[in-house]
Amino acid sequence: MRQTARKDAFETFLSGEIVLVTLLGAALALFLTKASLRQPHELPQLRLVLTTLYAVGGGLIALLTAIRFMVEGRRFDLMLCAGFSLLSLSWVFFAVDPAVTGRGIAGTDGWASLLGVLLGWAVLACAPLVGGVVERRRTLLAETGSVAVVTLAVVWLFARLAGLPTIGTIGLADATPVRRAILAALALLNLVAVLGLGNRFRKLREDLDRWLALGATLTLFATLDFLFGRVVSERDVTQGDFLRLLAYAVLVVGVWRAIQASEFGRAVAEERSRVAREIHDGLAQYLFAISTHASMLESGADAGETLRKLREAVQAAQTEARFAVLALSSAAGRAPFDAALRRYVDFLTADGVLDVELEIDGGVNLAPDEQIEVFRIVQEGLANARKHAKAARAWVTIGERGGDRLVVVRDDGSGFEPRADAAAQGLRNMRARAAAIGGAFSLSSTPGRGTSVEVVLRP
């Protein structure tokens, strides 16, 4: 069924691409054959607005792909970030800035813009060919940004020294043979990107590839419009400009969806890890005890005593299972956190050994990841009070103090010297859980005067 779904997804994508290419091809043919439809319009203010939107769109995509790279570390995302950085910086340095400063988009700036966009799409066309993940993510991202800036500086210097005829940016000014050749190369790179991204989607079925291929297809026909259209001034606006703007909008939507998918995938992985830790720290310990006592029975140990311990271990495992369900359901939003915690306290105090006073400030909100860790911190603190400190009473407070959210577990037990018991497993667990949610853990205890555990949560 999964293979069928993957096949259907690609067939749907391919059918959509065919329809889109057919419609855009027919529209391009119509504009090329009807001279009245392809007349450029001299709108310098709109020209500047569109160019600025290209720069903003490219920069936003570069930022989003950089975030996705920091999350997953894929070389593919790093290539996307590099390509869109080149596109965005080319528009800013060689199109928007000259127009704003009044220098006009011509000569060196025009060639630099054209070549910068060409290099950007060359990187994007190569992106589907790379794979794997990297470790030094922050360093590589910084190096990529530096290389992009240096590359554009070299491009501008080359354009200045090459002595090329005066042109404007893509789709503007003199339609020289050199410019047409570069636009043809750009169209070829757009086509290679479409094919590469489409093939990547066929293999991996990643939603991002579908959106990138769609954006590259729109950019391809925008480039063809510039290549075959008639534009005589850098102040002109044509159909291709709006098609390119639509391409950037599609690309932003696609990358944003990919960011959301990455965050969701990371959340799922973290939740799986948390569930595994819950099972290991709790239920697995009791199941091991049950297995040990069963082995002792098989080895001929005293049946009465061993059966008693086995029964206690089974009861403890059942109770732990209920506690785990309460904690996990609370963190997943299936049960209110305070209700789950109160039920846990009811279970714990049912035999009258420990009296617990629970106070929860209704105005304190806990994030899902905080709920389960706070639940386990309280559970660990009360278990220590009952088993080790032999306390008669304990107090649990979840509230605010001086603007900080805090969790306090206090008992009237035997207490201990904190340094002597610093390596205890229960304390290490609480410290680790507090650190996992960005909380500050502190402990105070005095022999004969009880123990207090406090966790100040992240802002």
Side-chain angles (χ1 to χ4, degrees), residues 132-399:
V133 297
V134 296
E135 295 298 329
R136 298 183 305 111
R137 300 175 188 178
R138 190 179 300 276
T139 301
L140 284 174
L141 204 56
E143 291 174 353
T144 298
S146 301
V147 169
V149 173
V150 171
T151 299
L152 291 180
V154 173
V155 166
W156 184 87
L157 185 61
F158 170 79
R160 183 175 181 85
L161 299 177
L164 298 171
T166 300
I167 67 165
T169 58
I170 295 178
L172 305 176
D174 304 321
T176 61
V178 177
R179 173 180 166 276
R180 286 189 178 276
I182 294 178
L183 285 173
L186 180 58
L188 180 61
L189 289 173
N190 295 153
L191 178 60
V192 170
V194 172
L195 296 177
L197 292 166
N199 184 58
R200 194 174 191 273
F201 178 70
R202 179 184 65 83
K203 293 179 178 179
L204 304 178
R205 295 300 193 277
E206 289 191 1
D207 190 56
L208 175 61
D209 297 327
R210 173 166 37 194
W211 287 88
L212 291 173
L214 178 59
T217 302
L218 294 170
T219 304
L220 168 62
F221 280 90
T223 304
L224 292 176
D225 181 79
F226 299 139
L227 177 61
F228 297 112
R230 177 177 175 272
V231 183
V232 296
S233 170
E234 72 271 8
R235 301 155 65 90
D236 290 344
V237 176
T238 68
Q239 300 84 2
D241 292 301
F242 295 101
L243 194 58
R244 182 163 52 198
L245 182 61
L246 177 61
Y248 275 109
V250 167
L251 290 168
V252 169
V253 170
V255 177
W256 178 250
R257 282 169 57 96
I259 288 291
Q260 290 181 313
S262 296
E263 291 297 328
F264 175 77
R266 183 171 63 170
V268 169
E270 290 177 350
E271 186 62 20
R272 287 175 178 171
S273 176
R274 187 179 296 118
V275 171
R277 188 170 64 247
E278 294 303 314
I279 294 173
H280 177 270
D281 290 351
L283 188 57
Q285 307 300 322
Y286 296 105
L287 294 178
F288 176 75
I290 293 172
S291 175
T292 301
H293 292 310
S295 299
M296 291 172 63
L297 277 177
E298 292 179 350
S299 302
D302 179 68
E305 180 66 16
T306 305
L307 284 173
R308 183 183 65 80
K309 292 182 178 179
L310 181 60
R311 189 179 302 109
E312 291 176 352
V314 170
Q315 292 173 348
Q318 291 175 337
T319 302
E320 175 62 27
R322 289 195 294 267
F323 293 164
V325 170
L326 286 172
L328 293 172
S329 62
S330 171
R334 293 189 294 272
F337 171 77
D338 55 347
L341 193 54
R342 292 184 192 281
R343 287 180 63 191
Y344 162 69
V345 170
D346 290 341
F347 284 136
L348 184 68
T349 59
D351 58 4
V353 174
L354 178 68
D355 180 34
V356 177
E357 184 177 326
L358 177 62
E359 181 182 352
I360 302 178
D361 186 346
V364 174
N365 295 318
L366 299 178
D369 62 329
E370 293 175 327
Q371 290 180 14
I372 191 168
E373 301 297 358
V374 167
F375 190 103
R376 283 307 196 185
I377 288 171
V378 171
Q379 182 182 3
E380 189 78 49
L382 293 179
N384 288 341
R386 177 185 171 114
K387 295 178 183 179
H388 305 299
K390 307 300 181 182
R393 297 196 65 189
W395 296 264
V396 176
T397 303
I398 300 176

Side-chain angles (χ1 to χ4, degrees), residues 395-415:
W395 296 264
V396 176
T397 303
I398 300 176
E400 289 190 9
R401 184 179 63 199
D404 292 329
R405 298 176 302 149
L406 72 156
V407 179
V408 179
V409 181
R410 184 168 56 88
D411 66 65
D412 63 355
S414 60

